[in-house]
Amino acid sequence: MTGIGGVEMGAQAARSRALAVLRIRSRALAVALLPAAAAVILLVGGSTGHLPGGGWDVLRWVVSVLALCVLLAAAGVALVVARSRPAVTPTVTVAEESAPDLYRMVRDLADRLDVPAPSAIALTPDCDSWLEDRTHPAHGPPPAEKHHDDLAGPGGAAHRRSPTAPVLVIGSPFLWWMRVGELRAVLAPVVAGTGPSAQPDIAAARRFIRGLDAAVAVASAGRRDPLSRVACAGLGWASRLLLRSCRGHAAEMERGVAAAAAERAQAVDYGLRIVAQEQVGLAYAGWDRLLTRVALPAWRMGRWPSRLDVGVVAALTELSRRDRLAEGFASRLGERPACDLLEEPGVMDEAVSLLAARLFHGGPAETGADWSPVGWEEYPEEVVDRTWRTDAARLHRVLDTLGVRRAAEGTAPGTDGPTLARVLDHLTTPDAASTAPDAPGTAPDAASTAPLTAGSDAHAAETQNGPGTPPADPDAARRPADDPGASRRPYGDSDASRPPYGDSDASRPPYGDSDASRPPVDGPAVSHPAYGDPGASRPPVDDPDAPQPPYGDPGATHPSYGDHATPVPTAPAEDDEDDLADTTARGAALAAGLTAQLAREEAEARPAGARAPSSAPGPAAGPDAALWDDRALPLLPLQPPRTGREILTAHITAMVCCAAMDTAGAAPALDWLDGPSLLFDGARAADLAPSVLSLVETGDPGPLRAWMTELGIRPEKPVRLV
């Protein structure tokens, strides 16, 4: 009785708040009709002779015109609210023919909970699950009624699928990492949310909130002509005013819906849900690590891993092996994985992987010469090796622009190729005390701070006379780049937290800690609803004053992924200057040149990567491109742009790794948690990051040279570049 009472109390609270939202809508309508009512009174009074006189005639005309204008404005706002397309989540639809076991499990779950079954199932590249309403006319016609394969089954008319049933969106990492029982326990509170979604008052209130959110997005788009701008300003003002008025009631409505659904779901696999919640936290940690450390370097190279969900299983297995508290999780792997509920898991994994690349990086909708899939077995050669050699080639191009000599004086012929020694000699500070930019009472070297004027001449001299030719100006080799684009940051180049290649544990978060395998409470998990809670959708993000349901509550509008997406702010240029203040003068000049070169390369590659999705058929299961607008990609950038010092450190590390592969027999490899790594005799190279940082920050090559001597790396030998 306690459970039934909790369900009833939560449902009643949600319905009362929904009625409050609908009363606000009715009051807005009444306010819009008030001038028309006054005009009717004045007109009727004049026609019956009760309000004679010239003053009343003028007042009748004024009020009538005002009423007509208000009615036209209200009708326009109501039309936009009713017809604007609410934001939907980019997903991959799972047809019942391709996952009959999954649909059967959801159908049985809905029967046990005594709620309507979802109308369809979709996958998203995210560690989350929710319900989403896609019944708006702008999203297309509702699915036709089917009685032979109805999700609700033969349990009665109350369980038959209706056109207004929401879509169940499941995070794809859950399907590949969780077992069947764990997935059912996690989805139980989510599926239970279809009961409140079928309540007419709650459904009407949610449609009103979603319509206001879509109207705000339409108003934010704006128009060029003055009349359209005025109309959009009025539409935005009215929509935001109504959203602010509904804020508190909408939040309390979603709390009531979540309480009712969670109370109803307690009867389904309650003990297993506790274990499943631990797997949710582990999946989130491994998925975030895989995207930022493994997938992002491949996306930057124009390759997208076609088996991201398989990779997250490998990453989480590795995490379980490293974390002593997660050792018990490995025993779960003998049970049936939830991906077995799909007929063709590989096809679904490929479609979700492509969608993840589009959302998080902004890649094209279809494969091509510059955007092709890559398998995990090909990752070390196709991504790691190419990334290092591309960065090393960029580093030497910038050194050529700065006029740095190809080889030191007195070296043997034939050693003027791209060598690591060239980089070390250029960054080595002869006297750190006198050349450090922040040394107190010391003036910077005039030659190192003078603007670059002979960089192009030096490059032309090398082109004419052969490599190794010194520049015409002997001081040109010491001048930093004065590139107007040096302060710009490359768009989308944001792997700020990626550890230097070859560093084993220096920059890795302590996953061996007891709580490291779970997402932090105040960290990234705050942006996700509570795992396992029911949810028709999520709160709107366009209007900062819009009603925001509480964390973990179901039923509010999902964040906009198209026009509604809020751009991620970038750090000001002053932050990069402060970051470069900890480097030497030559290091700062080289970092500025690398940043400018990356910005130019990103600007050249951006048009090809940002083109609109084509109508050509893709994989057998592809993203629902017709449901969302992807004119601004990436929609969900993973990380902020890297600073100049981080870019310089990554390029020097890449050059060291290239020298290690070409002169010491090292090999590129893939670490599932740390991404690209360097192997010596099958073991990861350690202690590289501190040595590179010592060279970048103080100009001291001693630790790096000692590290290379120990491993047999020869910096004077030329390396192969791309």
Side-chain angles (χ1 to χ4, degrees):
M1 294 300 294
T2 303
I4 298 299
V7 172
E8 294 299 330
M9 290 182 60
Q12 290 178 5
R15 184 173 182 272
S16 64
R17 294 295 181 169
L19 291 174
V21 172
L22 296 179
R23 281 195 295 269
I24 293 176
R25 184 183 65 177
S26 301
R27 290 169 189 164
L29 179 60
V31 171
L33 294 176
L34 188 60
V40 169
I41 293 174
L42 292 175
L43 291 174
V44 172
S47 63
T48 57
H50 289 82
L51 300 174
W56 287 107
D57 293 337
V58 173
L59 183 60
R60 270 190 290 270
W61 276 103
V62 172
V63 174
S64 299
V65 172
L66 176 62
L68 181 61
C69 294
V70 172
L71 285 177
L72 291 176
V77 172
L79 183 62
V80 173
V81 171
R83 298 299 301 173
S84 296
R85 186 178 71 173
V88 295
T89 310
T91 56
V92 176
T93 299
V94 181
E96 186 167 0
E97 294 77 13
S98 63
D101 293 340
L102 180 60
Y103 272 75
R104 189 177 302 111
M105 185 192 72
V106 174
R107 179 191 309 131
D108 296 340
L109 192 58
D111 288 340
R112 292 179 61 183
L113 295 171
D114 194 26
V115 296
S119 61
I121 299 176
L123 298 182
T124 180
D126 197 0
C127 290
D128 204 352
S129 297
W130 63 88
L131 295 172
E132 188 165 279
D133 186 4
R134 296 182 178 178
T135 59
H136 193 274
H139 296 155
E145 285 289 335
K146 295 181 182 180
H147 298 286
H148 62 280
D149 61 346
D150 200 308
L151 262 176
H159 293 281
R160 291 192 181 277
R161 183 174 64 185
S162 65
T164 59
V167 175
L168 174 61
V169 182
I170 305 175
S172 62
F174 293 168
L175 279 175
W176 268 260
W177 174 245
M178 289 186 174
R179 309 298 100 178
V180 173
E182 295 169 350
L183 180 65
R184 182 175 59 249
V186 168
L187 294 181
V190 184
V191 175
T194 59
S197 299
Q199 212 282 331
D201 296 329
I202 296 177
R206 285 174 169 173
R207 284 196 301 269
F208 181 57
I209 296 296
R210 286 195 298 269
L212 291 176
D213 180 40
V216 170
V218 172
S220 301
R223 297 294 185 270
R224 292 185 178 181
D225 55 288
L227 183 59
S228 298
R229 284 200 298 267
V230 172
C232 289
L235 173 63
W237 175 83
S239 302
R240 291 185 177 92
L241 178 62
L242 291 174
L243 281 174
R244 284 193 295 268
S245 303
C246 298
R247 174 193 303 169
H249 298 299
E252 293 299 328
M253 178 184 68
E254 300 306 334
R255 285 193 180 97
V257 170
E263 192 72 24
R264 183 183 294 272
Q266 283 187 355
V268 179
D269 300 331
Y270 179 75
L272 190 58
R273 285 172 59 191
I274 300 176
V275 179
Q277 291 300 323
E278 297 178 354
Q279 299 305 316
V280 167
L282 190 65
Y284 183 88
W287 181 250
D288 179 74
R289 194 84 169 183
L290 182 76
L291 290 180
T292 56
R293 302 296 178 89
V294 179
L296 192 58
W299 293 337
R300 290 191 182 126
M301 293 300 299
R303 309 295 298 272
W304 54 277
S306 59
R307 294 294 186 269
L308 278 180
D309 291 306
V310 173
V312 78
V313 175
L316 291 173
T317 305
E318 176 67 15
L319 179 59
S320 301
R321 184 186 64 82
R322 295 183 187 181
D323 191 342
R324 64 180 183 274
L325 296 180
E327 291 177 358
F329 296 149
S331 61
R332 307 166 41 258
L333 302 181
E335 304 175 11
R336 184 189 183 193
C339 63
D340 281 356
L341 300 174
L342 304 173
E343 289 293 313
E344 297 181 347
V347 175
M348 289 294 173
D349 195 359
E350 183 175 359
V352 172
S353 300
L354 180 57
L355 178 59
R358 303 205 66 207
L359 292 179
F360 300 121
H361 184 68
E366 67 282 340
T367 60
D370 299 328
W371 186 247
S372 57
V374 60
W376 293 124
E377 65 280 356
E378 305 168 352
Y379 188 94
E381 292 295 332
E382 296 294 329
V383 176
V384 179
D385 184 82
R386 285 183 56 196
T387 298
W388 286 343
R389 298 192 186 279
T390 300
D391 288 352
R394 185 183 300 111
L395 177 63
H396 281 278
R397 285 198 302 270
V398 174
L399 289 176
D400 292 339
T401 303
L402 294 175
V404 179
R405 297 175 183 270
R406 281 277 182 170
E409 296 182 1
T411 56
T415 59
D416 54 355
T419 63
L420 177 59
R422 181 194 188 195
V423 180
L424 297 179
D425 294 342
H426 175 68
L427 292 178
T428 299
T429 303
D431 187 0
S434 60
T435 60
D438 292 336
T442 305
D445 189 359
S448 63
T449 57
L452 175 65
T453 57
S456 57
D457 296 338
H459 185 65
E462 279 194 351
T463 305
Q464 272 188 335
N465 304 328
T469 305
D473 187 355
D475 293 332
R478 306 175 61 188
R479 294 177 179 172
D482 188 15
D483 195 321
S487 61
R488 295 185 303 168
R489 297 182 180 184
Y491 181 75
D493 192 3
S494 57
D495 195 3
S497 64
R498 181 176 60 183
Y501 307 125
D503 182 17
S504 59
D505 295 311
S507 58
R508 183 192 310 153
Y511 272 86
D513 197 357
S514 58
D515 294 328
S517 62
R518 301 176 179 85
V521 176
D522 298 328
V526 174
S527 61
H528 295 269
Y531 300 110
D533 282 347
S537 44
R538 298 185 205 166
V541 297
D542 306 284
D543 184 11
D545 298 321
Q548 301 292 328
Y551 173 78
D553 285 346
T557 308
H558 193 274
S560 323
Y561 289 85
D563 303 348
H564 309 225
T566 304
V568 177
T570 57
E574 289 77 6
D575 293 345
D576 196 30
E577 295 177 0
D578 295 340
D579 181 78
L580 292 176
D582 295 332
T583 63
T584 62
R586 291 183 178 181
L590 185 56
L594 289 171
T595 304
Q597 180 66 23
L598 275 171
R600 286 190 291 268
E601 294 177 5
E602 289 286 344
E604 294 174 357
R606 181 55 50 189
R611 60 181 181 271
S614 69
S615 57
D624 306 320
L627 295 178
W628 54 290
D629 189 357
D630 59 352
R631 288 176 293 179
L633 293 172
L635 304 179
L636 302 171
L638 289 178
Q639 295 174 339
R642 290 184 293 180
T643 62
R645 184 173 63 171
E646 291 166 345
I647 292 175
L648 176 61
T649 302
H651 282 72
I652 295 176
T653 304
M655 187 63 200
V656 174
C657 293
C658 291
M661 290 187 294
D662 292 347
T663 66
L670 167 62
D671 187 278
W672 291 110
L673 296 176
D674 293 332
S677 60
L678 186 67
L679 295 185
F680 279 93
D681 298 328
R684 288 188 61 183
D687 302 329
L688 175 58
S691 304
V692 174
L693 288 177
S694 176
L695 175 65
V696 171
E697 295 177 353
T698 65
D700 181 14
L704 183 57
R705 290 186 181 275
W707 182 85
M708 291 188 297
T709 301
E710 180 182 357
L711 295 176
I713 301 174
R714 303 184 62 180
E716 74 280 1
K717 292 291 185 179
V719 298
R720 177 174 58 88
L721 304 178
V722 293

